[in-house]
Amino acid sequence: MQLTISGHHVDLTEALETYVKEKLQRLARHSDGIIQANVILSVEQKIGHKAEAILHIKGTEIFAEQIHDDMYAAIDTLVDKLDRQLLKHKEKQLKRRA
């Protein structure tokens, strides 16, 4: 899986990049067909910390975003959303084969 992490109005520290990489590795156990992942971390004034991701998988793209007061919490819930969407996509693919 090719991973691209970018930041808007936030400094990407080594700890933050490592945290995102570790969390996204969790997604690989549900789908080995993830080709590319783009993660954008930003700090919006009056809104909070925003994490969004686009996963390019075989046949489609999956998008999710999460806003929270803490960047690490935003990343956690973002990965949970992506995990649920991947499982749903996987179930659809299995139903089509049957």
Side-chain angles (χ1 to χ4, degrees):
M1 168 174 60
Q2 183 181 359
L3 178 62
T4 306
I5 303 171
S6 60
H8 296 284
H9 305 291
V10 66
D11 292 328
L12 287 178
T13 62
E14 193 68 33
L16 200 56
E17 286 185 25
T18 304
Y19 190 75
V20 171
K21 288 177 186 177
E22 288 175 0
K23 289 295 182 174
L24 287 180
Q25 291 301 321
R26 191 177 108 194
L27 300 176
R29 62 181 177 182
H30 292 299
S31 177
D32 58 347
I34 300 174
I35 300 167
Q36 183 179 6
N38 297 328
V39 179
I40 301 170
L41 305 174
S42 61
V43 176
E44 301 287 331
Q45 199 172 23
K46 297 183 183 177
I47 296 176
H49 298 273
K50 181 177 177 183
E52 57 185 74
I54 301 172
L55 295 181
H56 301 276
I57 59 176
K58 295 177 184 175
T60 190
E61 291 181 349
I62 295 177
F63 174 79
E65 68 178 355
Q66 184 62 39
I67 299 172
H68 201 275
D69 293 334
D70 180 34
M71 182 62 79
Y72 291 99
I75 293 168
D76 286 340
T77 52
L78 173 76
V79 172
D80 290 341
K81 281 185 177 182
L82 290 171
D83 197 27
R84 285 192 305 270
Q85 289 183 21
L86 272 175
L87 286 175
K88 187 175 180 181
H89 177 72
K90 187 176 178 181
E91 288 175 7
K92 282 184 181 180
Q93 296 294 72
L94 291 176
K95 284 182 182 179
R96 288 183 187 157
R97 289 184 189 168

